[in-house]
Amino acid sequence: MTAPALDHSPGFLAEARRTTLGKVFLSPKGGITGAYLLALVLVALLAPWITPYPYDAQNLPLASQPPSLANWLGTDEFGRDVLSRIMYGARTSLSVSVTAITVSVFIGMCLGAAAAYFGGLLDRFITAVIDLSWSFPELLIALILVAIIGPGLTSTMIAIGVAYLAQFTRLTRAEILALKNETYIEATIGLGASHSHVVFRHLLPNAMAPVIICGMLATGDAIILEATLGFFGLGAQPPVPSWGAMMSSGTAQIFKAPWVIIFPGLVIAITVVAINLFGDALIRALDIKSKIREG
Amino acid sequence: MPSLSPLVTIRDLNKIFESRKGLFGEPRRMTAVNQVSLDIPRGQVTGVVGESGCGKSTLARLVLRLLEATSGSISFDGVDLLKQSHGAMRLLRRRMQMVFQDPYSSLDPRYTIADALLEPFKVQGIRLTTAEARQKVEALFAMVGLDARFAQNHPHQLSGGQRQRIGIARALALEPDLMVLDEPTASLDVSIQAQIVTLLEKLKHELGLTYLFISHDLNLVRYFSDRIVVMYLGRIVEILPDAKAAPRHPYTQTLLDSTFAPDPTQRRDISRLTGEIPSPYNLPQGCAFAARCRHARPDCLSRRPVLETRSDGHAVACFHPLT
């Protein structure tokens, strides 16, 4: 490795090292996991064009075939190609968890900011409700919500979003409580700024980084939660593939055709680990470790 | 032509902070500012001194309504500040600005200096073209004696003195009448302090500003102010009509005795204060300073002296003033 030389070269690499994303992608941890996640997103986006077979193409004579040149990861009990279904499943898993967490982070930031900024009864109310939901495991909240709303992708997203709302709200509130006492907030109010200017131009931009990282890490958990709901048949409805639902159908023939359950499980595990390691690299690059772990 | 009426008239201003333990706990009341009445004359520097916790910074924030007063009235150029709506108050803020003590936290770390200087116009809804904005920024830089090459820098790239100049420039952006200076030099090196004070004096003359200058440094206040207000535990105990007037309140005398002369050969006795400062949660019935006062007599403990103004404008709240 010629790593030390990179620091002295005035070229592209040295330049990239100065930006946060550059730091993340050039670190070994962030580079490998970042590349995997990028590839996964590309596969999900391009699935309709690049999968070897349609996800719902049944081929009963070739049911439960072990991995082969024609079907790299084997086929399931209906003869559907496992690789194609995993690639399509990435669409479901990623879109559900990313959408749910994005919306949840946004709402959590608004709730946390409102609670911290206005204080008083509003703060007490929001904190009480959030703390109450914080005391239940995420899976339990999600199961209850799906039971109420009914199974499906939308209710999975709502369930995941609500399940993780508490941590984003709490983290934002804690950040903004600390920032609120900074002199520049008082100075901005002294200039005649409105509440929304103070919150959206000063408080939230300064509080955002740790909350977004926290959201990123929660996306990994959300993939597991989505898979769990899918496993129970509460998520994506057949024939739309999702990693959790694939594993669920694989349990029936776990000894006869173990590849049906092993490969989706492996992809879930690798993806979640990758997201966590990538998040760690991002935390290191942004130098905000202490803040995340308090949330 | 300066009008004779004061720019700011404060009457019977009180600020009580309440803190509760839990939702149903008995609130503890702390009186930070107690029955303060004060005029701030136009074009002059009104200095406020007192030790930490005497309520001088609270007073500064009350005058600008950055804190809500518990009772009393503040009239700014004839407008009753405490009766203004949120919107009207925002517009009035163009005319009254504050310079803060800590230049390290008074600028948003994410804003460039140029953005920080243009923010006053943005929050007041004053639209500027790109050329006008550049012109404003350059004018403000020139006004506070800084090189405009800092415009695209972030606050962390500037020194404390430079940041305080930016803090002053930001306060000047909207061309205010009143500037409240809350210990603007307290967190700077001594050599930088002198530069900032010189700058503030220059700006006052050029722009005809009125200053309310808060400080714990009596030497600095005596150098800089036209009138000096001495506060003790939330109350005004003395108003010196000019900076060189001899103190009449024992507390002011003690403050004066405790200042250092910049001359190592000059050795003198410092009259140290003995006794405890009363708790602001539980103020004594009589004079708040009596417990530490060498001149205290029995009547000081039972009744509270009110601020009485002599014909020369010298006011003191003491039964047994020094002169």
Side-chain angles (χ1 to χ4, degrees), chain B residues 77-96:
Chain B
D77 206 7
V79 181
D80 189 343
L81 275 196
L82 303 185
K83 294 210 169 79
Q84 299 302 309
S85 67
H86 185 67
M89 196 59 221
R90 279 179 53 197
L91 275 179
L92 267 171
R93 292 199 183 283
R94 293 184 190 192
R95 300 186 53 196
M96 50 177 90

Side-chain angles (χ1 to χ4, degrees), chain B residues 74 86 145 154 197 295:
Chain B
I74 302 168
H86 185 67
H154 283 271
V197 170
H295 306 272

Side-chain angles (χ1 to χ4, degrees), chain B residues 139-148 150 162 165 169 199 202-203:
Chain B
L140 286 170
F141 267 114
M143 216 181 259
V144 296
L146 269 187
D147 195 321
F150 291 117
Q162 288 167 337
R165 284 171 193 267
L199 171 67
K202 183 188 81 132
L203 292 169

Side-chain angles (χ1 to χ4, degrees), chain B residues 132-149:
Chain B
E132 281 172 337
R134 185 181 303 138
Q135 216 177 352
K136 285 276 185 203
V137 171
E138 279 169 7
L140 286 170
F141 267 114
M143 216 181 259
V144 296
L146 269 187
D147 195 321
R149 73 192 152 88

Side-chain angles (χ1 to χ4, degrees), chain A residues 116-192:
Chain A
Y117 185 73
F118 293 108
L121 275 180
L122 184 73
D123 185 24
R124 273 175 195 279
F125 178 73
I126 292 177
T127 311
V129 173
I130 287 298
D131 281 354
L132 193 67
S133 78
W134 180 253
S135 62
F136 292 99
E138 282 94 356
L139 179 60
L140 192 60
I141 298 180
L143 277 176
I144 293 171
L145 279 168
V146 175
I148 296 172
I149 314 170
L153 281 185
T154 316
S155 49
T156 307
M157 283 191 224
I158 294 173
I160 292 174
V162 173
Y164 288 101
L165 187 61
Q167 70 185 73
F168 307 135
T169 309
R170 286 171 58 103
L171 185 57
T172 311
R173 178 174 171 273
E175 282 288 300
I176 287 190
L177 273 184
L179 287 172
K180 208 171 87 161
N181 295 324
E182 291 283 337
T183 314
Y184 61 82
I185 298 304
E186 198 178 21
T188 311
I189 295 171
L191 292 172

Side-chain angles (χ1 to χ4, degrees), chain A residues 26-103:
Chain A
L26 289 175
S27 69
K29 209 165 71 173
I32 295 168
T33 57
Y36 169 79
L37 292 173
L38 264 180
L40 191 68
V41 169
L42 277 179
V43 165
L45 286 175
L46 301 175
W49 296 281
I50 60 171
T51 51
Y53 303 91
Y55 67 87
D56 52 356
Q58 300 190 4
N59 192 348
L60 290 175
L62 287 177
S64 305
Q65 293 293 309
S68 64
L69 276 180
N71 304 95
W72 291 358
L73 302 182
T75 60
D76 66 6
E77 75 266 38
F78 299 112
R80 297 176 298 194
D81 181 42
V82 171
L83 176 64
S84 303
R85 286 181 65 76
I86 287 178
M87 288 163 86
Y88 263 97
R91 275 169 97 85
T92 318
S93 292
L94 291 187
S95 64
V96 166
S97 43
V98 169
T99 312
I101 293 295
T102 308
V103 174

